[in-house]
Amino acid sequence: MRRTSRRPDAPPRAALARLLAVPALLTGLAAAVAVAAEASHEVEGRRSGWLYNSPETQALQDDEFINPGMFAVERGRTLWSTPEGSAGKSCASCHEEGSMRGVAARYPVYDEKRGGLVDLTTRVNLMRTELMGAPALGYEAADMLAMTAYLGRESLGMPMQVAVDGPARPFFEEGRAFYFARRGQLNLSCAQCHDDLAGRKLRGDTISQGQINGFPIYRLLWRAMGSRHRMFEWCNTSLRAEPYPAGSREYLSLELYVAWRGRGLPIETPAVRR
Amino acid sequence: MRRGRAAVAGLALAALAAGGGAGAAELAPLTAQPGDPARGRDVVRDLTKATCLICHALPIPEEPNPGNIGPNLAGVGARFSAGELRARVVDATTINPNTVMPPYFRTEGLNRVLARWRGQTIYSAQEVEDVVAYLGTLRQP
């Protein structure tokens, strides 16, 4: 007797046809998405890291259903409306649906009260500690990355546009100086690779422009989400340079400069990178 | 110890008029013991020593996937003398201040070196000699 394992409502021929149709459909869809995406990954010569990825990694990012970073976005969406802390409030208690659109695209910002830069991570913690009566989350805590991934996703497709004038100017200049300073035993600046050598090969790796419009990213090397500052730490350590702590003034200033450097690039959080 | 040697090496730098124009700096051997090309071939592949292959192609069949930042090093032994090769390995910024090539035998004037590597050079003096000896054997372009 022949055994078949199939759903009673799916006759074998139809199932086969469906199996054959799915890859064709996906290929067509991926091609369409790739063409549409290509147009928006480059703005006036500023190129998203997406363009330096393999087609496989690009596809992993572009398909919401398989992008591993979408787990963080979904977790963030849940946290957004979950009351926490002594005030008994959630983010959604005060912030209207859709009101976060565009916020991630203009961070980091100068904060009058703190007299310094605030990035999305620090803002989330300030809201938690000062308004919700909830404890601060760790800079790279999974729930923090979920929050910033959700907030990033809310600005999907919006051009990065940070303010660098007025009180932000000194921090911007500091960030620029950081970017051009050689550091570490390997004696390299950010600019030497990401301005001058983008597209060239470091062994099997293609050097990107180091744009930050996709953060927090799901990094295959980490098998985890990571913030912009974690990437700065990783890069500095790779040069055998002493990194600065995530959330430090140095990295906030660098983040501001690098966000300005990529101005106009659409937010594509959660990006998938090597 | 290594710091001292690096300083001596700096003093030994001498620009010679012979042949190479602005890039004609030569450097005397850092050790009394001559370099061993076979050991040098291992050193240039060593992943813990900022392997040359990150940026350069080398005629090493087992290494099919080099970077393309710097020039292919096949034939480099015919293009430069041992002294010129040594100067480039020790500290290529003495030839081109804007180079992206890391200094393999220098500890001075570096910025925020990770504590684990502070005061240390990428290569030991003998490793510099081994690498220079190996590069000298690469005469076929």
Side-chain angles (χ1 to χ4, degrees), chain A residues 181-188 192-193 196-197 199-204 207 237 240-244, chain B residues 47-48 53-54 63 65 67-69 97-100 102-103 111-115 117-118 120-122:
Chain A
R182 287 182 183 257
R183 63 192 67 243
Q185 192 189 41
L186 303 193
N187 199 35
L188 287 167
Q192 282 182 297
C193 284
D196 303 342
L197 296 171
R200 305 280 282 275
K201 292 275 183 194
L202 276 182
R203 280 216 125 165
I207 303 178
T237 308
R240 298 183 173 177
E242 206 62 64
Y244 290 88
Chain B
L47 297 177
T48 68
L53 292 153
I54 295 174
E63 301 284 3
N65 204 18
N68 62 4
I69 309 296
N98 298 319
T99 186
V100 293
N111 176 24
R112 281 184 77 80
V113 175
L114 206 57
W117 301 104
R118 211 165 295 154
Q120 297 176 59
T121 52
I122 299 172

Side-chain angles (χ1 to χ4, degrees), chain A residues 162-181:
Chain A
V162 290
V164 298
D165 286 324
R169 198 72 199 181
F171 297 94
F172 173 76
E173 296 299 348
E174 210 174 283
R176 193 204 316 250
F178 187 112
Y179 186 84
F180 285 95

Side-chain angles (χ1 to χ4, degrees), chain B residues 37-107:
Chain B
R39 273 209 307 264
R41 190 179 187 276
D42 291 338
V43 172
V44 298
R45 298 178 64 195
D46 189 334
L47 297 177
T48 68
K49 296 181 194 298
T51 168
C52 306
L53 292 153
I54 295 174
C55 297
H56 295 280
L58 279 162
I60 301 179
E62 311 92 287
E63 301 284 3
N65 204 18
N68 62 4
I69 309 296
N72 189 326
L73 296 181
V76 76
R79 297 200 293 276
F80 296 108
S81 70
E84 288 169 336
L85 290 171
R86 190 177 293 106
R88 282 158 176 78
V89 172
V90 163
D91 184 0
T93 64
T94 59
I95 287 108
N96 169 13
N98 298 319
T99 186
V100 293
M101 181 165 161
Y104 280 78
F105 194 73
R106 163 181 155 194
T107 55

